[in-house]
Amino acid sequence: MTDGLTLFDRAALARNRARAAETLAEADFLLAEAADGLASRLLPIARDFPLALDLGAHDGQLGRAALATGKIGTLISAEGCRPLLSRLSAPRLALDEEALPIRDESLDLVLSSLTLQWVNDLPGTLIQIRRALRPDGLFMAAIIGGESLKELREAFIAAETEILGGISPRVAPFVEIRDAGALLQRAGFALPVVDADTLTVRYGEPFALLRDLKHMGWSNALTDRARTPMRRDVLVRAMELYAERNADPDRRLRATFEFIYLLGWAPDESQQKPLMPGSARMRLADALGTKEHSAGERAGTREDPDRG
């Protein structure tokens, strides 16, 4: 997700998402969570947005939630996965999130849900989004944060180290909350704010988590991944370690998903003076006038209904 680093194999990611288009509805709980989170953060903002873009629309959950706020005139659903794009309501747009075909200063609002964490040059994409916004236009996004799937990452590392004496990248290194505000500032957004929340999902057995990830199109698409299937003994040992280390008293297994919510405005003379560099890592709740929190503190952890 940094300049000059091809972290993700975008062709492999596209194949994973195309295969998962038929099964996404079976594991869309993270999209629902992010859509609700973004819509609830959009609702208190005291202005309307005549033209908005849903960047990486998936199955349209975010678009429907955003339109329900009554703040959007026209919403364009943009999606790079053709099977998903064909199911979205018009107007819709096919695009690659790494090269946005959008005129400068043409949009009032850009929303994005659980898409931008798969972009190789995230600062570059954020700059393109900022340029696409009219002065005082708004960008809001939810991305998967660095705490996500930490249990699965640790189980794979331990199993491969124990059996093979080394490791292969299995779980993507997502953005850390401490870096998110700096990314917005670097891209030229005014008044950037960041908020984070954590969702704990529980499973009856670890293979159910792997099925959910596959159904979401989140199979391993790292450029440096091993190109051969994982050995069965390594996979079995990883799942054993996962169960040993992450079981609740009722034997159900925890899986962590961190959501980082980003907000930034396209600069405009009417805006208040920006904060000093490094001080923008505040909670989104601060900007909306709710309870104050420190920059690194999580908004809270809750449990999703049991899965698997």
Side-chain angles (χ1 to χ4, degrees):
M1 289 188 183
T2 58
D3 299 310
L5 177 63
T6 306
L7 184 62
F8 298 107
D9 180 343
R10 297 278 295 174
L13 178 63
R15 291 193 297 271
N16 292 343
R17 297 193 68 221
R19 284 193 294 264
E22 295 297 328
T23 58
L24 182 59
E26 300 176 29
D28 63 353
F29 60 100
L30 295 182
L31 292 175
E33 176 77 12
D36 288 346
L38 286 168
S40 68
R41 288 160 172 80
L42 178 63
L43 190 60
I45 296 175
R47 60 171 292 183
D48 294 329
F49 302 93
L51 183 59
L53 178 76
D54 179 4
L55 179 57
H58 300 286
D59 59 357
Q61 286 198 63
L62 173 57
R64 292 188 292 273
L67 288 170
T69 67
K71 295 183 172 294
I72 295 173
T74 298
L75 178 72
I76 302 170
S77 297
E79 174 56 58
C81 176
R82 294 283 181 170
L84 289 175
L85 181 69
S86 65
R87 303 173 192 176
L88 295 169
S89 300
R92 58 197 182 199
L93 174 65
L95 54 68
D96 180 346
E97 297 86 6
E98 294 189 334
L100 305 183
I102 301 170
R103 295 196 318 273
D104 289 354
E105 299 188 5
S106 61
L107 299 170
D108 302 291
L109 171 67
V110 173
L111 299 168
S112 184
S113 174
L114 307 190
T115 294
L116 297 181
Q117 69 269 1
W118 306 117
V119 169
N120 282 306
D121 181 9
L122 183 53
T125 294
L126 292 177
I127 289 171
Q128 293 181 66
I129 292 170
R130 192 256 303 159
R131 289 173 176 169
L133 288 167
R134 296 187 177 106
D136 207 31
L138 176 63
F139 166 64
M140 295 183 69
I143 61 175
I144 291 294
E147 289 294 300
S148 299
L149 298 172
K150 60 183 180 181
E151 303 91 350
L152 186 63
R153 181 183 296 109
E154 291 166 1
F156 279 140
I157 290 173
E160 289 191 307
T161 301
E162 176 183 314
I163 296 174
L164 303 178
I167 62 173
S168 173
R170 301 288 180 185
V171 181
F174 299 120
V175 173
E176 299 290 341
I177 187 172
R178 62 179 177 268
D179 300 322
L183 284 170
L184 289 172
Q185 288 183 315
R186 178 180 174 184
F189 285 100
L191 310 175
V193 289
V194 177
D195 187 31
D197 200 0
T198 302
L199 177 68
T200 301
V201 183
R202 303 199 317 150
Y203 288 89
E205 49 92 13
F207 286 100
L209 168 60
L210 298 185
R211 285 193 295 271
D212 271 355
L213 296 177
K214 183 177 180 180
H215 289 165
M216 288 186 286
W218 287 17
S219 298
N220 192 352
L222 290 168
T223 300
D224 291 336
R225 70 192 184 280
R227 302 306 170 109
T228 56
M230 179 183 290
R231 280 175 40 174
R232 180 173 178 79
D233 57 342
V234 175
L235 178 59
V236 170
R237 183 56 178 154
M239 296 300 95
E240 289 174 348
L241 291 169
Y242 194 108
E244 291 171 6
R245 298 176 176 184
N246 301 288
D248 286 331
D250 61 0
R251 298 187 179 182
R252 296 192 69 83
L253 309 177
R254 300 180 301 278
T256 299
F257 294 94
E258 183 185 35
F259 298 82
I260 297 178
Y261 294 95
L262 310 174
L263 181 151
W265 297 88
D268 184 71
E269 291 297 326
S270 66
Q271 295 164 348
Q272 60 182 291
K273 185 178 179 180
L275 299 173
M276 293 296 292
S279 62
R281 300 172 192 169
M282 66 174 69
R283 305 302 299 259
L284 183 57
D286 298 344
L288 303 179
T290 59
K291 183 179 178 181
E292 182 178 359
H293 301 274
S294 63
E297 182 185 352
R298 299 297 183 266
T301 299
R302 73 174 187 82
E303 290 193 357
D304 197 62
D306 290 350
R307 295 184 58 80

